Amino acid sequence: MFLFHEFQQNKFILTDKKGEVISSFDQPGDAPSSYGNTACAATFVGDSIVVMGQQKVVIYDLNFDFIKSHQKPYAGKGMLYSGYNHLQNTYIDDEINLVAFTGGPQHPAATNQEAYYNHFNTFDLISLDSGGFVPITPLHPKSRYKQGKAFNFIRPLFQVNEDKIHFIFASDTLFHTHDLSKAENGLTVEGIPFDDFILNPGYPFGGSEDYDTPKPRKGEVKSYFKVDEKDLILYQSGLSLENTPLRGTTSREEWNKINARLNPLKFLVREAEGEYSKVGLCTTNFTPTHVDGKNRLWARQHVELLDQEPEFYTIYQVALVPQ
């Protein structure tokens, strides 16, 4: 089965593998059985669907009939992310739990305060039975976010495999592994050998990000997937200030084409611990979006590149093939 979310209508659609609709959910955000006005993430857990809203996690059966919900015990703040794979399953003591990125740590400090980074938790571990939201995965001592500067919009791209969380921060060059089975020293890091990656230097504690001064376009990890014991990393290196095309000199469409050519989507494959492939350029026909529970990699068609809108939305099952 496939679970789709239509963002503008805030509607879920469950289909079979042929694309036939099985059930759907489009109740108002203030309905008692709703997850709210925004679905931040969703996943399958056995024969149920779990949706993470801004303030609670809701469990439905496959007909979207309400089963139960768990309220988040702290107020949401910072960026609200939707459309990312920010809710994934793991097993702790033979019990299914959820690893979630909720948009920021549980600590109330602001992003320009040192306490924010000292108390940062990358993920919450959510028990489907008790509903507890346990903060896990602090920043590693080698993290660039622990070096005395402030940053906005710290977001991980992650995948959970059994009791291990593998992740990369979108604007970072470290590959992280958090072994949940280890009470101590469970978080390890290694450097990713990008060909080039422009880093945002951050700003002083107590200050604010300078959005007015022109500066280089930072590098960004766009996607991360673990496939067949290999790690697929999709990223853009960024653009130096002198190579960034000026806004207003061309149409928006032409400006986007120039940027895509100058700052293309690339990939790296982590073959094993500390071993990486050469950098390659990604295809422009589709973009990988998800790895399922059977280790299959799925991708979406780039509908925007077609001359006319197709009658059907196409998704692909793709494979990572050495060349």
Side-chain angles (χ1 to χ4, degrees), residues 43-105:
T43 190
F44 292 103
V45 177
D47 291 330
S48 62
I49 296 169
V50 181
V51 181
M52 181 172 69
Q54 188 173 4
Q55 289 298 330
K56 59 183 175 180
V57 167
V58 185
I59 305 170
Y60 303 97
D61 65 16
L62 297 181
N63 291 316
F64 285 103
D65 292 326
F66 177 85
I67 298 177
K68 62 180 176 179
S69 66
H70 298 302
Q71 194 75 18
K72 192 164 67 171
Y74 56 95
K77 62 184 179 67
M79 177 66 75
L80 180 64
Y81 294 97
S82 182
Y84 296 91
N85 194 20
H86 284 171
L87 193 66
Q88 300 182 34
N89 302 343
T90 188
Y91 283 88
I92 304 294
D93 298 327
D94 296 326
E95 177 192 341
I96 295 181
N97 287 253
L98 294 171
V99 174
F101 172 64
T102 63

Side-chain angles (χ1 to χ4, degrees), residues 98-114:
L98 294 171
V99 174
F101 172 64
T102 63
Q106 294 191 13
H107 197 272
T111 57
N112 67 350
Q113 297 175 353
E114 187 174 7

